[in-house]
Amino acid sequence: MDVVTLGDFTLGKGTFEPGWRWSEDVKPIAGTDSCQTRHTGICVSGSMTVRMDDGTEGTVGPGDVVLIEPGHDAWVVGDEACVLYDTGVAAYAKPQ
């Protein structure tokens, strides 16, 4: 995750490689059954499917603006990296 903060605005650029899945790659670190972060942003390339805890799901692709509420799993679709700009990263992106 590349993150930039300008004043009180934070933007993250996430590049998710083919095969990435939140429940496999992040769940062990997060310690929750599903992602509990609210994401807002735009997909600029690739595709990702998001499944909410209630079972509803949708796929986002280039140009799609997203609002993803807490309580979801997500995974890259296909063989192209999915790149998302996320304005909700301040809640979870921590400097290293």
Side-chain angles (χ1 to χ4, degrees):
M1 176 73 58
D2 296 318
V3 179
V4 64
T5 299
L6 303 168
D8 61 355
F9 177 75
T10 300
L11 179 67
K13 177 187 175 193
T15 301
F16 304 92
E17 297 298 330
W20 180 90
R21 187 176 184 122
W22 187 92
S23 57
E24 296 172 5
D25 298 302
V26 182
K27 179 179 177 176
I29 299 164
T32 56
D33 287 334
S34 59
C35 181
Q36 297 301 308
T37 300
R38 183 179 199 247
H39 302 279
T40 55
I42 186 167
C43 178
V44 294
S45 65
S47 296
M48 182 177 289
T49 295
V50 179
R51 179 180 297 137
M52 303 304 295
D53 287 349
D54 68 6
T56 59
E57 68 178 54
T59 300
V60 299
D64 289 340
V65 174
V66 298
L67 167 59
I68 306 168
E69 295 292 354
H72 60 271
D73 190 8
W75 57 91
V76 174
V77 176
D79 59 1
E80 179 183 358
C82 181
V83 178
L84 295 166
Y85 286 100
D86 186 348
T87 62
V89 298
Y92 67 90
K94 306 294 181 212
Q96 293 188 1

